[in-house]
Amino acid sequence: MDSMTGFGRGEEQGPNFKALVEVKSVNHRFRDIRLRISPPLSSLEREIHKAIEGRFKRGSFDIWVSHKTQGPSSQGGMDSQKIKDYLTHIKALCEEVGVPLHAFAGDFLGGQFAVEVSGEKEKEVAALVRKALDKALSSLGESRRREGLALCELLGRHLENYASHLAPIRAKAQDFGPIIREKLMEKCRRFGQSLPGEEDAGFHREVIYYLEKMDIDEEIGRIEGHLATLKDLLKRPGPKGREMDFLIQELGRETNTIGQKSELGQISKAIVQMKVQLEKMREQALNME
């Protein structure tokens, strides 16, 4: 089981260039890819998209791809010689018209000052980026896998806690008959009505009516089925975030129905705790691929 949250980094160094790829992913309903790449490498955009699509099903991905030369003429992907030539030319113009020269580091971050890559050098950089990308995506996959295992453990604990609060509800459901009879008898006493006898058919119909309204056996059965499916799901490999989200929603519906049907204090307290565990499971499931 993989999380959608993770980070990966890959670096490759050649005789003339160094390539760096960094990838960050967070949860997303589908798959969203945002790529930041220096202009000389823009031809690799589609290839990078396909590489991510081939490895990951869901998530929001931010990818940074950069390169720099292995030499004194360039730093961080910027061509030092281009910057020097530009400043020399601008300085001469400023002196000619009597205008002071003001230059800032941010002025040279545009593409016109980037290291030019063409011909054989372009092939070298592209090959380095591909290797760095493969490392970064493998690293991201491992990161998401580790995070997924941790989430799986948390989900398992929340699932067990939820089930532990279901047990007293299941036991209490068997006591509804005597409880309803006592409540109806109490109403008779409160309003000064004669107490019904053991053979009073009308009284028994009322008891059966309220028992049917309060019956939660079907809800308990469906909850137990969903719990079993969730436990199996946690053990299965592959993407399962959407299926898990659906099952948690179904558990929420059945839990709410039991809470609406029963007025017993013990059951109401258990329902509150079950809802707490469901909310925790929902938060964790949002990060699952």
Side-chain angles (χ1 to χ4, degrees):
M1 177 181 288
D2 291 353
S3 167
M4 286 188 283
T5 302
F7 177 80
R9 186 178 189 275
E11 188 173 324
E12 275 294 322
Q13 188 169 317
N16 300 304
F17 296 94
K18 179 187 289 186
L20 174 66
V21 178
E22 293 181 322
V23 190
K24 180 186 75 173
S25 72
V26 293
N27 62 304
H28 193 275
R29 189 176 178 185
F30 301 106
R31 183 173 51 216
D32 180 49
I33 300 173
R34 292 180 296 277
L35 177 61
R36 294 167 179 82
I37 188 169
S38 53
L41 303 173
S42 56
S43 61
L44 295 174
E45 285 191 25
R46 185 58 195 149
E47 190 175 333
I48 293 171
H49 274 256
K50 284 185 176 180
I52 293 171
E53 290 166 3
R55 294 198 188 206
F56 307 104
K57 301 298 182 184
R58 295 173 65 206
S60 176
F61 300 86
D62 283 294
I63 308 101
W64 296 270
V65 181
S66 61
H67 74 284
K68 62 181 179 180
T69 59
Q70 297 285 82
S73 64
S74 176
Q75 197 63 253
M78 296 186 296
D79 193 318
S80 300
Q81 191 58 50
K82 283 184 181 180
I83 295 172
K84 289 176 184 177
D85 292 344
Y86 173 80
L87 286 173
T88 300
H89 179 66
I90 293 297
K91 183 180 179 184
L93 288 176
C94 289
E95 290 175 352
E96 184 178 333
V97 297
V99 176
L101 173 63
H102 297 289
F104 303 93
D107 298 337
F108 309 106
L109 296 178
Q112 67 269 33
F113 298 107
V115 177
E116 289 186 3
V117 181
S118 60
E120 291 302 316
K121 288 185 176 180
E122 183 176 357
K123 292 180 181 178
E124 180 188 338
V125 174
L128 292 173
V129 168
R130 290 186 183 99
K131 290 180 181 179
L133 176 66
D134 186 64
K135 285 184 178 180
L137 296 184
S138 295
S139 175
L140 175 65
E142 287 299 319
S143 175
R144 286 163 61 112
R145 198 161 297 114
R146 287 194 301 271
E147 181 72 15
L149 288 173
L151 287 177
C152 187
E153 290 181 10
L154 277 174
L155 280 164
R157 287 202 292 270
H158 295 321
L159 207 58
E160 291 300 325
N161 288 337
Y162 177 93
S164 70
H165 293 294
L166 178 65
I169 292 178
R170 189 190 300 108
K172 204 67 181 174
Q174 309 305 317
D175 300 334
F176 283 174
I179 291 171
I180 290 171
R181 286 189 181 88
E182 181 56 36
K183 278 192 172 186
L184 290 175
M185 298 284 277
E186 178 60 31
K187 284 184 179 180
C188 289
R189 284 192 290 266
R190 190 185 310 162
F191 293 105
Q193 302 293 323
S194 59
L195 296 179
E198 287 293 325
E199 303 301 323
D200 192 313
F203 179 74
H204 285 295
R205 280 197 297 271
E206 285 295 309
V207 171
I208 292 171
Y209 170 75
Y210 281 105
L211 278 175
E212 288 176 346
K213 282 186 66 176
M214 292 179 67
D215 180 50
I216 57 174
D217 285 343
E218 288 186 11
E219 287 78 9
I220 290 174
R222 284 193 288 267
I223 285 176
E224 290 173 339
H226 294 327
L227 289 177
T229 303
L230 270 171
K231 288 178 181 178
D232 290 340
L233 194 61
L234 288 174
K235 299 173 185 177
R236 290 206 322 251
K240 61 197 74 178
R242 288 186 179 135
E243 189 175 353
M244 188 171 294
D245 183 58
F246 170 76
L247 287 169
I248 291 171
Q249 287 184 40
E250 291 301 304
L251 281 175
R253 290 192 186 95
E254 303 299 342
T255 303
N256 285 332
T257 302
I258 291 176
Q260 291 164 2
K261 282 188 171 183
S262 174
E263 299 177 358
L264 297 181
Q266 287 176 301
I267 289 182
S268 297
K269 289 178 182 178
I271 291 294
V272 170
Q273 294 304 316
M274 289 164 74
K275 288 182 177 181
V276 169
Q277 298 304 317
L278 282 175
E279 187 58 34
K280 291 179 179 179
M281 282 192 279
R282 190 175 291 109
E283 290 176 4
Q284 303 299 334
L286 285 174
N287 287 317
M288 303 306 299
E289 186 177 28

